[in-house]
Structures are given as C-alpha cells and as structure tokens.
Amino acid sequence: MTRLIRFNKPYDVLPQFTDSGSQGSPRQTLSAFIDCPGVYAAGRLDRDSEGLMLLTDTGRLQAWISDPKHKMAKTYWVQVEGQPDAAAISALEKGVALKDGLTRPAKARLMAEPAQLWARTPPIRARKSIPTSWISLTLREGKNRQVRRMTAALGFPTLRLIRYSIGAWTLDGLSQGAWEDLEIPNIPGPAKPSQLPNRRAQKAKVQSKAQVQSKGQAQAKTPPKTPDKAQTKTQSKPKQDRKDPTARSSRRNHARKP
C-alpha cells in the first residue's frame, strides 16, 4: 500500500535516515523521528533548514513531487537580517543573478512573524543593532541553497529558513518533529493510446494545408494573361464571305453569248 508522510523537520537534522559519512556521529537523522520502514524523502531540505518534508515509499510519487519539470511550488518563510524595501522584494520576484544563472520568476512579500512559530534550538545569532524581517518566498525551481543565496545577493543574509509548503501540502497543525500520514493524491500519468493525437492524420492535414497555401501564393505571383492586340483586332473584325468562283465564271460566259 502506498504511503505519503509529511514531517516537520527540526533544525540540525540530516534529511536522510542514516549518517553513513560519519560513523558514530552525534548528528541526528530522520530515523530519530520517523519509525516507518521503506519510506524515503521526496526532495531534500538542508540540515540547517527547518519545516516541511514529504516522504513516500513509491518511486513514481516521489518523482512527481520532487522532479523540477513538474514545477511544484514551494513556499518558504525566511527570516533575514535588515529590512528589505520594495526594490528588494521586486528583485526576488523578477529573478536574482547567481553564479549558476538567473533565478526564475518567484512570488515574494514581506510578512509578520508566523503565529505558529516554534523556538529554534539553538536560537539565531541576531545583532541587536540590526533589525530582522520575515519574507514569504515561493519558488518553482530548486537550485542548491537557492533561498539563502538569493537574499545574500541582495544584501539581506538569511538567519532562519523554514519551508512552509510543497504544492497543496503545508505545515498547518503539525508541531516540530512530528509526522503523519497523508491521503494519496491522483498522480497524472502518461496519456492512453486513445488519447494520443493521430500523428498521420495531423501530418496529412499539415501537408494539405501547406499545398493549398503554396498554390495560392503561386497564383498570386503569376500576373493575369493579357490578349495580344493584333489577335484581339483580328478576332473583333467580322469575317467577309468569299464569293463563289463558279458563279463569277458563269457570269463571264453568259456575257460573251450574242
């Protein structure tokens, strides 16, 4: 049976079930919170980020959620150092030039501190002399550490990053470190043979249309034929009946008789 789980990942937790790179490491993994064999993450969330993760035991569902070509929207709550102005928010929306290219258009707005926000352990290192702000940022792509690099490029370093939603799934009602099963969505599959376009008919239709257009263009380029003046004059002149030579000879003979 297919399973889909949502999980509110705490800060400093690896987004995987094992820490194979550091044997005996004290770093926490997903296995410290989720006791559900066979599921794996549909997309990543950095160790120093918090918030929503989706996990499933089905490869097709995992690909549908995490593959960038499906452009599933992901919304982040971002606490930054400083107070971004309208120009900075506009830049986030239009695209920020990073080393690996310009980011795609996004949705961004200033927001108040989330009401359901939990305390982070350890807390952020904020400077008392510099205020902090919260931004809601929705992306449809997933460059490496993209949110942090976008805000830093505009002069507003990210202090805390929480993923609030993936597509229609959100953190609402889910406490930090908790997980729960979700209803399985209908995954759009490949088109059935009966739904596929008739390529032969389409090709024949295109060729027929091209031939009609080509014929029309050729007719438009060829000037209408104008009749020859001499021929027109000849055709317009009525034909004169020729006299019967036999009758003329008979008249001459008749005139010679006494």
Side-chain angles (χ1 to χ4, degrees):
M1 181 179 175
T2 300
R3 295 191 73 173
L4 177 63
I5 291 171
R6 69 168 181 158
F7 171 58
N8 187 350
K9 187 185 88 67
Y11 176 82
D12 202 29
V13 173
L14 292 172
Q16 57 203 42
F17 284 93
T18 59
D19 186 9
S20 57
S22 303
Q23 190 173 1
S25 170
R27 297 188 300 181
Q28 285 187 311
T29 65
L30 298 180
S31 58
F33 301 89
I34 303 172
D35 183 16
C36 184
V39 299
Y40 47 96
R44 292 180 57 83
L45 187 62
D46 292 333
R47 177 186 171 190
D48 55 353
S49 297
E50 309 162 67
L52 183 64
M53 287 189 70
L54 297 176
L55 300 97
T56 182
D57 58 356
T58 304
R60 185 161 170 251
L61 180 56
Q62 188 270 347
W64 180 64
I65 293 171
S66 61
D67 196 327
K69 72 180 181 182
H70 297 133
K71 298 181 180 179
M72 192 169 287
K74 297 178 178 65
T75 297
Y76 298 87
W77 291 338
V78 194
Q79 186 178 16
V80 298
E81 188 176 78
Q83 293 181 316
D85 54 12
I89 297 299
S90 178
L92 289 172
E93 290 186 321
K94 292 178 181 178
V96 179
L98 303 177
K99 289 184 178 180
D100 51 354
L102 186 71
T103 61
R104 292 179 182 175
K107 291 182 180 180
R109 62 178 178 85
L110 290 171
M111 61 177 291
E113 181 179 296
Q116 69 222 61
L117 190 65
W118 54 89
R120 200 190 83 168
T121 304
I124 64 169
R125 296 179 180 179
R127 291 183 284 180
K128 294 182 179 180
S129 58
I130 302 177
T132 65
S133 306
W134 284 90
I135 299 172
S136 173
L137 183 61
T138 301
L139 306 176
R140 291 184 179 272
E141 60 179 338
K143 296 179 183 292
N144 183 40
R145 299 182 71 81
Q146 180 173 342
V147 174
R148 297 177 189 277
R149 291 193 292 147
M150 287 174 71
T151 63
L154 298 175
F156 304 98
T158 293
L159 301 173
R160 189 175 183 184
L161 181 60
I162 301 170
R163 185 158 64 195
Y164 167 69
S165 68
I166 301 173
W169 298 288
T170 71
L171 281 177
D172 292 343
L174 191 65
S175 59
Q176 185 186 33
W179 65 272
E180 67 177 9
D181 280 287
L182 297 170
E183 184 178 348
I184 305 302
N186 291 323
I187 307 172
K192 297 178 180 178
S194 60
Q195 297 172 333
L196 292 171
N198 189 329
R199 300 192 182 279
R200 274 189 192 174
Q202 283 186 344
K203 187 176 180 180
K205 188 176 179 181
V206 170
Q207 288 177 344
S208 177
K209 188 176 180 181
Q211 288 174 357
V212 170
Q213 290 178 345
S214 177
K215 187 176 180 181
Q217 291 173 356
Q219 289 177 348
K221 290 180 180 179
T222 305
K225 292 183 179 180
T226 54
D228 185 63
K229 291 183 180 180
Q231 186 179 359
T232 306
K233 190 174 179 181
T234 305
Q235 289 177 353
S236 61
K237 240 181 174 182
K239 291 182 180 180
Q240 295 181 353
D241 294 336
R242 293 183 179 178
K243 293 183 179 181
D244 186 1
T246 307
R248 188 165 50 188
S249 175
S250 177
R251 282 196 299 270
R252 282 199 300 268
N253 293 334
H254 181 71
R256 291 175 183 173
K257 288 182 182 181

